[in-house]
Amino acid sequence: MKLALINGPNLNLLGMREPETYGSTTLGDIEQTLTGLANEKGVSLETIQSNAEHVIVDYIHNGITDLSGILINPGAFTHTSVAIRDALLGTNIPFVEIHISNVYARETFRHHSYLSDIASGIIVGCGIKGYEYGLLALINTVNNIKK
Ligand code: DQA
């Protein structure tokens, strides 16, 4: 089973970006932890980060051939991107949406997500641990679909 971890804009700055909101762990550390967890669970994990919407859309399209599921932190595209929503709808790849911060306790423009209503699960406000919870939830979802 091949899964993907997609991180959207500005998440490459984790570790130095607004540490009071996002903590001090880098994206590299998160990707390493998740790859280890995926391996423990016997699945392979591809990681990608992009600040460009079309790169994320193209990546999801290419996933049609080999991705069983996606864990995605869309960053600010959460609140703006009909294009990423349509890519996920169009490919029908199951996905879990994750946010490090509790977006519902922040500015109102962060309360709306273009992805949440079509996600198989959502993890919000659990800090970077949310990536691990999200991966476990995704593996569980994909295994249930296969049954
Ligand atoms: C975020 C929340 C978004 O509102 C924000 O634009 C981000 C990060 C989070 O992980 O909490 O870039 O997705």
Side-chain angles (χ1 to χ4, degrees):
M1 183 201 299
K2 180 176 167 188
L3 305 177
L5 168 64
I6 303 177
N7 276 284
N10 301 306
L11 291 161
N12 53 313
L13 296 182
L14 282 178
M16 57 180 279
R17 167 192 188 201
E18 301 170 81
E20 62 293 347
T21 304
Y22 298 115
S24 56
T25 307
T26 66
L27 182 58
D29 291 337
I30 292 168
E31 289 178 340
Q32 205 178 352
T33 303
L34 274 248
T35 302
L37 179 58
N39 290 345
E40 259 175 48
K41 298 290 172 191
V43 305
S44 85
L45 184 74
E46 187 164 74
T47 62
I48 164 197
Q49 186 278 330
S50 181
N51 297 318
E53 191 177 31
H54 73 277
V55 172
I56 296 174
V57 169
D58 285 344
Y59 181 83
I60 294 168
H61 289 179
N62 291 333
I64 280 190
T65 51
D66 65 343
L67 283 183
S68 302
I70 294 173
L71 175 61
I72 183 167
N73 183 344
F77 289 150
T78 309
H79 319 297
T80 62
S81 184
V82 178
I84 293 175
R85 176 189 177 88
D86 284 349
L88 289 162
L89 278 175
T91 55
N92 209 23
I93 301 170
F95 74 95
V96 170
E97 175 184 353
I98 184 252
H99 299 286
I100 299 167
S101 64
N102 179 357
V103 286
Y104 300 104
R106 301 180 65 193
E107 304 96 319
T108 42
F109 66 82
R110 294 187 204 275
H111 298 184
H112 177 260
S113 164
Y114 277 100
L115 304 188
S116 293
D117 66 306
I118 57 164
S120 52
I122 312 158
I123 311 270
V124 175
C126 300
I128 56 154
K129 267 276 168 194
Y131 283 97
E132 292 172 55
Y133 305 149
L135 182 63
L136 294 175
L138 182 63
I139 292 170
N140 191 50
T141 298
V142 173
N143 281 336
N144 283 340
I145 291 170
K146 280 190 347 198
K147 276 174 200 160

